[in-house]
Amino acid sequence: MPTERLLGEPVAEAIREDVTSRVRDLQRRGVTPTLGTVLMSDAAADERFMDLKHAACDDAGIATRDERLAPDAPATDLYRTVEDLADDDAVDAVFVQAPLPEHVDTTAVRRRVDPQKDVDCFHPENLGRLVAGDPRFVPATPAAVRRLLADYGVELDGQDVVVVGRSAVIGKPLANLLLQDAEGGNATVTVCHSHTADLAAATRRADVVVTACGVPELLDGSMLAPGAVVVDVSANRRETEDGTVDVVGDVEYESARETAAAITPVPGGVGPVTLAALLDNVTLAAERRADG
Ligand code: NAP
């Protein structure tokens, strides 16, 4: 049987349609949902992703504040920017692009985000609530993975899921979501990271493998169980021999297709759904504030 391609765009389109109608409802009440974004990087890829977020907001009728700091700016400048967005009554939602430069204390930044506006679950209180099974927001990328699997009818209840990556923005919240005793959860979850002794042994046992480690083509088809479902979160930019840049996932797509039953392409898999999930969270933040 041919491997199913789990395309993100149809899933993203359904989320955007819902968002657009909810934003119209808010506008009728005199509310324009507003997202403040913070980028402390001058890497071209980061700037492009941030531009995409602003364009997607614009298309959905969501206003934006675009705060950009030089990567070598003092950490106190970043703290002040995040505090100003927390205090600004016109801003409903805040997104801080991670990772932050090394001289910045990321924990100190996390604590400064207003939890009510914290659409990417950056504040420890919101991460804690998610772990406790009572999320205020589900961060965009984990939400996208869960929604994509649900929309393609991938049942997780009782399944072995391996998540490769344990960051606070993707791996940890995703693993916790998938093991919740709730719809879209009840999986048996293993989390792997750079200290995992035998990654292949773990992934070969999995019904579903989700990779979010940012290592180009770390996994190949030989590391998957026959019939596995693969969700590749990463979009790694890699320079080719002729000097051009291509974008690949953490999974070697062609060899994975020999073994897997279904796989997300890179690009075109998780990425568009994540963007739509962010709009969904911004709208939710604005609805809550409008409802008091
Ligand atoms: P991160 O903070 O760098 O975390 C990477 C994780 O991968 C870490 O837990 C690390 O382990 C683990 N790892 C690294 N090398 C490994 C190896 N050889 N074997 C097993 N695990 C390994 O990255 P992130 O912010 O979570 O992002 C992960 C990826 O998702 C990145 O490629 C990013 O660009 C991408 N991303 C995609 C979307 C989307 O919507 N598609 C959105 C955001 C980010 P340690 O903890 O031991 O270091």
Side-chain angles (χ1 to χ4, degrees), residues 141 164-167 169-170 193-194 212-215 218 233-234 236 271 274:
T141 308
V164 186
R166 59 174 167 182
S167 75
V169 282
I170 303 183
H193 45 79
S194 68
C213 61
V215 183
L218 176 68
V233 171
S234 295
N236 306 300
T274 299

Side-chain angles (χ1 to χ4, degrees), residues 3-289:
T3 308
E4 186 181 7
R5 275 160 58 88
L6 306 177
L7 296 173
E9 191 46 36
V11 180
E13 178 59 23
I15 298 172
R16 284 196 302 264
E17 269 177 27
D18 174 60
V19 164
T20 305
S21 122
R22 286 159 55 206
V23 168
R24 262 194 230 114
D25 286 347
L26 282 165
Q27 285 168 341
R28 276 194 279 273
R29 296 166 65 188
V31 174
T32 300
T34 301
L35 169 67
T37 64
V38 183
L39 177 64
M40 196 173 188
S41 162
D42 57 5
D46 289 339
E47 293 186 331
R48 208 180 39 257
F49 279 130
M50 200 49 99
D51 292 344
L52 277 176
K53 287 183 178 66
H54 284 264
C57 284
D58 197 36
D59 286 348
I62 294 171
T64 53
R65 297 277 174 80
D66 192 355
E67 302 288 350
R68 300 199 184 195
L69 293 92
D72 58 353
T76 45
D77 287 6
L78 176 60
Y79 299 159
R80 201 170 319 114
T81 302
V82 173
E83 283 166 357
D84 286 349
L85 289 170
D87 292 342
D88 190 336
D89 209 36
V91 172
D92 299 291
V94 173
F95 175 89
V96 180
Q97 180 71 50
L100 293 164
E102 273 184 14
H103 69 282
V104 171
D105 176 358
T106 300
T107 306
V109 180
R110 289 181 188 284
R111 293 210 184 100
R112 284 173 163 82
V113 178
D114 178 347
Q116 312 292 335
K117 302 182 181 183
D118 178 26
V119 284
D120 216 34
C121 226
F122 214 51
H123 194 285
E125 178 186 313
N126 285 337
L127 193 54
R129 280 186 58 159
L130 185 141
V131 173
D134 176 29
R136 182 179 272 129
F137 295 102
V138 176
T141 308
V145 173
R146 190 176 62 170
R147 174 74 185 252
L148 202 129
L149 289 169
D151 280 18
Y152 280 98
V154 179
E155 181 57 68
L156 295 179
D157 196 319
Q159 300 291 291
D160 283 316
V161 177
V162 166
V163 176
V164 186
R166 59 174 167 182
S167 75
V169 282
I170 303 183
K172 280 191 188 119
L174 176 63
N176 277 282
L177 275 181
L178 301 184
L179 61 79
Q180 298 291 346
D181 182 4
E183 182 87 23
N186 284 313
T188 301
V189 182
T190 304
V191 182
C192 298
H193 45 79
S194 68
H195 293 246
T196 297
D198 190 346
L199 180 63
T203 54
R204 271 193 213 112
R205 283 197 307 269
D207 301 300
V208 178
V209 176
V210 184
T211 61
C213 61
V215 183
E217 300 185 336
L218 176 68
L219 284 85
D220 62 23
S222 74
M223 298 167 73
L224 300 169
V229 173
V230 180
V231 178
D232 193 338
V233 171
S234 295
N236 306 300
R237 292 169 64 76
R238 191 178 59 174
E239 203 163 317
T240 58
E241 275 169 17
D242 64 7
T244 57
V245 172
D246 64 358
V247 175
V248 294
D250 296 333
V251 182
E252 201 183 278
Y253 189 75
E254 288 309 324
S255 77
R257 272 164 56 118
E258 304 282 312
T259 320
I263 182 166
T264 56
V266 176
V270 178
V273 191
T274 299
L275 202 49
L278 175 66
L279 304 180
D280 189 19
N281 276 351
V282 174
T283 310
L284 178 62
E287 288 167 340
R288 285 180 181 154
R289 276 164 50 86

